[in-house]
Amino acid sequence: DLQICQHRAPTCCTKKMEESYQAAVRRERTQSIQALNFELKYMIVGHITAFQEAFESLLRFAENRTSSLFETAYRPMAKEAAEPVKELFTDISLYILGAETTVESAVLRFFDSLFPLVYSRLINPGITDLSEDYTECLRLTRQDINPFGRYSKNMVTELSKSLWASRMLSQALSLGIEVINTTEHTALTKECSKALVKMQYCPHCQGLTLIRPCVGYCLNVMRGCLASVSELDGQWREYISTLEYLSNEMAASHDLEIALTGIRNSINEAILHAQLNGPQLSATVDKVCGQPKQQEGNLSSDNIVPVKEATEIQTFVMAHASLNNKRREFINYMKRSRPFYASIAERLCDGDLVMRDSSTCWNGEDVV
């Protein structure tokens, strides 16, 4: 009653043993594919972790530098500016991690929140009546009168270029893990299970427990079983090329580190521009939003404090040069994995599974 290991000679196998062999080959194949995938997956997961850690540390540094700008140069509005600054960097973090948002909306939302503070604390520091309606009017007016000149748009452009590549790389790495996980759990067809049993276990039914499959025979069986997996070869090679492109984009002129640490300077230039155009802005705002209550004896708005350029940025960029090195090492490793799916049958037939350096092997029917 044997279905797979039929042979003219006497046999010690039963139908139940054949079923056990089928369960065994399915389990072994999954384990052997997982073992092949392990190194590749380990490298990608490791890079995702390193990338996210470096990015979070970079983001915290850039946020601290931006907060210190308000504490040192624009003290009258430092406390109230803390929340918009925090929101800006949270939005950037979410964008990198793939949230449905844009850099432009994050930056413009920040400048919408910033304008009422700049107007009431720096341009007209005598304002006492900063009601919700008046604040909202200032927020909406910002979009029409563009108090921050070209600096707000420049900030959107610079950040969009560098953050786009980082966002895409982050998503691409996650996709790579998803592909590998999917191939690990590819179900074997009944025909494949039978072919594997015939190749690996049918010799046992004749007492030939030490004989192993011939190399060519193993390759034929494995290629048939893994045809659907090896079809990924073209897409996998394209995927590696995309990773390489994104990594080069990040390391090129749109450098993530420089863009994030440059946020502080962009905001400072924007605020200085608004202060220098204070009288014109006040005239326009008075027409649109009305005149708010003033304190007796208006405080001077001439309180522009030059920002001392922090030299720590150079140290920081040097520290993050290691991130570029990690990127290069990772991409070089991934380039070597280009033929991963094309050669999966060869790799599974390598090692202990087949008979090498011997004159006898199993061809599926007999010892040859």
Side-chain angles (χ1 to χ4, degrees), residues 25 29 188-197 221 224-226:
V25 291
R29 214 66 317 109
L188 299 181
T189 62
K190 280 186 179 178
E191 290 72 23
C192 172
S193 296
K194 287 178 180 178
L196 288 169
V197 169
V221 171
C225 279
L226 298 168

Side-chain angles (χ1 to χ4, degrees), residues 61-72:
F61 177 83
E63 185 176 348
N64 289 341
R65 285 191 82 237
T66 306
S67 298
S68 73
L69 167 69
F70 290 97
E71 287 156 14
T72 54

